[in-house]
Amino acid sequence: MTQPAFTPALGCFGAGWLYDAVVALTGERGWRRAACRELAAEPGDVVVDVGCGSGSQSLMVYALQPQARIVGVDPDVRMLALARRKAEKVSAPVEFRSGMGDALAAVLPDVRADKVISSLVLHQCPLPMKRAILASMHEVLKPGGRLVIADFGRQRSWLMRAAFLIVQMADGFADTQPNADGVLPGLMRQAGFGNVREAQVIPTLVGAVTVYVAEKV
Ligand SMILES: C[S@@+](CC[C@H](N)C(=O)[O-])C[C@H]1O[C@@H](n2cnc3c(N)ncnc32)[C@H](O)[C@@H]1O
């Protein structure tokens, strides 16, 4: 069976092992914490991290709420190996599974999520895949469940548009430009989400990261 196509964590710059060092340049603690605050994981919650990569966001969710069950999903087995090593190091019982974000029901047949989080994934995906991932997130969530997305969104100033060119050169203009044009809230509504809002916009060295929040109404 052929592996479905996806853009790797560092886009055309490849090498997953470099990823954590590169993403640290975005001042990741700030926007990751903001995303966790909006997620507000509670004891007993089932949280799915879509496109979990090397597991940094999943592990922060766990650090802030160790009584939640956290499952990370990513198609890149090298990133999952990194994530598992990082989880082992801090004895975090986070599960990591191999799979695409548009096939969550198949990857997680045993999981109905209270909350879904996803960071820096959708900007790397073609428009039909952005739509399919959001539909799949909607499917895996329980009614009333919450979606939190931290990703490059509308780039509102010339400075942020210029900074975001670095990401666009790595991940390609076709997939990243719709994010910079502010397409995500509309796509979330089309996927069936309600109460869609931009909770925070955080400038970074490589463009502004927006934390979006939505609910399965
Ligand atoms: C830039 S990395 C972000 C990783 C992690 N979420 C973080 O915040 O550090 C993007 C990740 O999305 C994954 N990815 C790309 N296309 C995907 C898809 N269609 N479904 C799920 N994950 C995908 C990649 O394998 C990669 O690990």
Side-chain angles (χ1 to χ4, degrees), residues 146-162:
R146 184 174 307 155
L147 170 68
V148 174
I149 289 180
D151 206 343
F152 300 104
R154 186 183 291 282
Q155 302 299 315
R156 292 177 160 88
S157 68
W158 69 265
L159 184 62
M160 285 299 108
R161 280 194 293 279

Side-chain angles (χ1 to χ4, degrees), residues 4-11 19-20 23 28 31-32 49-58 73-80 86 99-104 117-126 129-130 133 150-152 171:
F6 63 91
T7 301
L10 285 179
Y19 176 72
D20 281 355
V23 85
E28 64 182 316
W31 57 260
R32 287 197 194 284
D49 180 4
V50 179
C52 62
S54 65
S56 301
Q57 193 70 56
S58 300
V73 175
D74 199 284
D76 191 334
V77 290
R78 297 161 310 168
M79 296 302 278
L80 289 175
K86 282 161 65 176
M100 295 287 283
D102 62 335
L104 296 173
I117 190 164
S118 182
S119 50
L120 305 188
V121 177
L122 292 179
H123 78 276
Q124 294 196 322
C125 299
M129 179 58 82
K130 295 184 208 293
I133 290 177
D151 206 343
F152 300 104
D171 292 332

Side-chain angles (χ1 to χ4, degrees), residues 16 21 34 43 84 99 108 184 208 213 216:
R84 290 191 183 107
L108 307 168
L184 288 184
V213 184
K216 177 166 175 171

